[in-house]
Amino acid sequence: MTYLAPRQGLFAIILLVSFCLQTLLLVISTDQQLSNSRAQKGEQMVAQLIDEARLSLENKDRVSLSVIANRYTSEQDVTRILIKDNNGDVLVPVGNAPMQQGDTISQIATKGDAVIGSVALTLKDISKGEIIAMQWPFVIGSMLLHLLLWLIYGYIARPTKEQINALSRAIQDLHREQYRQIDQREFARGYERNLERGDEKEDVSTESASAANAAATSRNPNVDKSDLPRKLDIHSAVNQYVRGQQGQNPELDATHDTTAHAMSNDGADNLQDQLTAGNANNHDSHKSNGSNGMARLSANRPFDSVSVQIVFHDEFNMLERLAPSQRLPYLALCTQLLNQAVTELLKQPLLLGVSAINEPHFDESGAYVMLKADNSHAKVALAGVMLAKLYLMLNKIIHDKHIELSRFALPAKAGVSDNAQVEAMSHLLESVGKKEQMLILLPNAGIKQINHHVQLQSVMRPTTVYERECAIFDGGNDAMIQRLADVRNAVLMIEETEAQG
C-alpha cells in the first residue's frame, strides 16, 4: 500500500497562496509602471497640443481645434480632449470619456502673461484583466511551476517501506506499553476496593488471582477477541504517526541526504555537459558567420552618417492605381516639403556640423535622405531623428488638409538607421512599421546622442535580431518638440508664400 506525503493538502494550500500573492504583486507593479509612463506621456501630449493649438485657440477657431484634437484622440490611451477658452466656455469636446473612467490632465494655455484658454486630456484606466492578459506567459508559467513543486513534494516526502515497517514496530510497542499500564491500574483499583470493604484474605487472594488471570489473558493472543480491548486500525495509525513524526526518524533524514547528494551530483554533471555542448555550438556558429555580418550586428559599430527613409503607409496600393496627372503633382509636393524641411532643420544651432549628402526625391517607394557628420561633435543621429519627426508632422497636416478637401493623400512612416542597417530598416518598415510611426535602428553611439532628447520603446514580441535591436520613437522633450514646431511653421510659411506668389 502506498501512503501519501505528510500534510500534502496543507502544502498545496501554501503553494496556492504563494501563486496568488505572486500574481497580485505582478499586477500591482505592472499597473504602477504603466500609470507612470502614461502620466508622463499625457503631460507631453498636452504640452504639444497647446503648442499646436495656441494660434487657433487665441482666434477661437473651432474647426482647426477640432482637427488638431482629433489627431490626439487616435491614440489608444486617450479617451477625451476638452478645449476651453479663457472664459471657461467649451470650444471643442472630442472623445467618449463619459463611458469610461480615467485620469484627467489639465493645463492652462497662455500667450505671454495672458491666459487664452485651457486643455483637459483624459487617459483611459488600465484594467487588471488587461494586465493579466499581457502577462499571461508569466502567470501560466508560475502556475505550472507551483504544480510541479506540489507533485515533487508528494513523490519525495512520502514514506518508504523501511520507514513504514519501523513505524509499525514502534506503534505496536506503544500499544503494548499502554495495555500494560491499563492492567496495572485495574489491579490497583481492585485491591483498594477490597481493602475498603474489609474482605477476608481469601477474597483478597481471589481478586488478586482474577486480576492476574485478566492480565495473562490480555497478553495471550489465543484468548477470545471479545475479552480484549478494541484493536485500532493499523493503517490509519501508521498514517497519523507518519504525519506527526515526519522528520524525526534518523533513517529518513539519512535517505533524504543521500538523495539530495545524488541529485546535486547529477545536476552538476548535466550542467557541465550543457556548457561543453554550448561552447562547441557557439564556436561553430562563430566560424560560420562572416566578419561583415558580425560588424553589422555589433552594437558598438562606428558610424558618421545616418539614413532617413520615409515611405507611404499605403495598405491598398492606392498610389499605383492613381492617374499620373494626380500622382506626379502629389509626389512633387512631398519632395518639395522634404527638401525645405531638410534646409530649415539644418539651420538649427543644435545640428551644427551636419549636412545632407543627397537631394531627396519622392517616388512610389518613398524617399531617402543621407545626413553626414562633418566633425566628431556633430549630432548626426539626433538630426536624423528630428528630420523624420519633422516630416511626419508636416505630412500629418498635409494629409488632414487634403482629406478635408476630398483630395488624395497618404499617411507616412519613417525609419532612421546607419548605413550598415539600411536594408534591414527597409524590411522593418514593411513588417513592423505602423502609420505615423518612426523606427530607429542605431548603434550605441547613436542612441547616446538622442537619449537625452527622446523617449524610446522596444518592439513588442520581436521575432528577429533586427526587431529586438529596433526602437520605436515614443515622444520627445519639450525643447525638441518646440524647436520642431518652429521649424514646421517656418516650412509651412514658405509653402504659403510660394503658393501666393
Side-chain angles (χ1 to χ4, degrees), residues 429-487:
L429 286 173
E430 182 178 356
S431 60
V432 180
K434 298 179 181 179
K435 180 174 64 175
E436 305 296 337
Q437 195 178 66
M438 185 201 309
L439 303 181
I440 299 173
L441 188 59
L442 294 172
N444 290 338
I447 297 297
K448 289 181 180 179
Q449 287 186 16
I450 66 176
N451 193 27
H452 299 291
H453 302 275
V454 302
Q455 294 181 358
L456 304 176
Q457 65 178 5
S458 302
V459 178
M460 296 294 292
R461 292 183 291 274
T463 58
T464 63
V465 177
Y466 295 111
E467 290 181 8
R468 187 170 63 250
E469 293 184 353
C470 180
I472 301 176
F473 180 86
D474 195 31
N477 56 16
D478 297 337
M480 192 188 79
I481 296 299
Q482 181 62 43
R483 189 176 287 110
L484 289 177
D486 295 339
V487 177

Side-chain angles (χ1 to χ4, degrees), residues 1-239:
M1 181 176 179
T2 302
Y3 295 90
L4 298 178
R7 299 184 180 180
Q8 192 169 2
L10 180 61
F11 186 72
I13 294 174
I14 294 174
L15 291 179
L16 180 61
V17 172
S18 172
F19 170 75
C20 294
L21 290 177
Q22 241 181 10
T23 306
L24 179 61
L25 293 176
L26 172 68
V27 171
I28 292 174
S29 61
T30 306
D31 186 26
Q32 185 177 5
Q33 292 176 1
L34 293 177
S35 299
N36 293 337
S37 63
R38 286 171 58 251
Q40 294 177 0
K41 184 178 179 181
E43 292 175 359
Q44 293 177 358
M45 292 174 65
V46 170
Q48 185 175 351
L49 176 59
I50 290 176
D51 292 336
E52 294 183 7
R54 184 173 282 111
L55 182 60
S56 302
L57 186 60
E58 184 180 4
N59 298 328
K60 296 183 180 181
D61 187 359
R62 297 175 182 269
V63 177
S64 300
L65 291 174
S66 178
V67 171
I68 295 173
N70 281 325
R71 295 204 306 266
Y72 289 88
T73 54
S74 61
E75 294 287 337
Q76 184 179 3
D77 296 332
V78 178
T79 60
R80 183 176 175 83
I81 295 178
L82 195 65
I83 302 177
K84 299 181 181 179
D85 59 6
N86 55 353
N87 297 324
D89 297 329
V90 178
L91 296 178
V92 175
V94 180
N96 56 352
M99 303 300 295
Q100 299 178 357
Q101 299 293 330
D103 298 330
T104 301
I105 301 174
S106 301
Q107 188 172 343
I108 298 175
T110 60
K111 184 176 182 181
D113 296 332
V115 177
I116 60 175
S118 63
V119 176
L121 184 143
T122 303
L123 298 174
K124 181 180 65 174
D125 276 341
I126 299 177
S127 66
K128 303 301 185 293
E130 292 178 355
I131 295 177
I132 295 177
M134 291 168 53
Q135 302 291 341
W136 67 266
F138 177 86
V139 175
I140 294 178
S142 177
M143 181 178 64
L144 294 178
L145 176 61
H146 284 79
L147 180 60
L148 181 62
L149 290 175
W150 183 74
L151 294 176
I152 292 175
Y153 172 79
Y155 178 77
I156 294 178
R158 63 185 181 183
T160 60
K161 292 182 179 180
E162 293 78 9
Q163 296 167 359
I164 293 174
N165 294 331
L167 293 173
S168 299
R169 290 191 296 270
I171 292 173
Q172 291 176 0
D173 295 336
L174 179 63
H175 288 170
R176 293 192 187 96
E177 184 66 24
Q178 290 177 352
Y179 295 155
R180 187 179 296 110
Q181 293 177 359
I182 291 173
D183 293 340
Q184 291 176 357
R185 286 196 297 268
E186 290 179 354
F187 178 80
R189 284 196 297 268
Y191 183 76
E192 292 173 356
R193 284 197 300 269
N194 291 332
L195 290 177
E196 291 173 355
R197 294 174 182 176
D199 293 336
E200 296 179 352
K201 294 182 179 181
E202 292 83 4
D203 295 334
V204 174
S205 301
T206 304
E207 292 292 332
S208 300
S210 299
N213 290 333
T217 304
S218 63
R219 289 190 295 270
N220 189 0
N222 296 324
V223 180
D224 190 11
K225 295 182 180 180
S226 60
D227 296 332
L228 297 176
R230 185 175 58 89
K231 292 185 178 180
L232 299 176
D233 187 359
I234 190 64
H235 292 297
S236 63
V238 169
N239 276 328

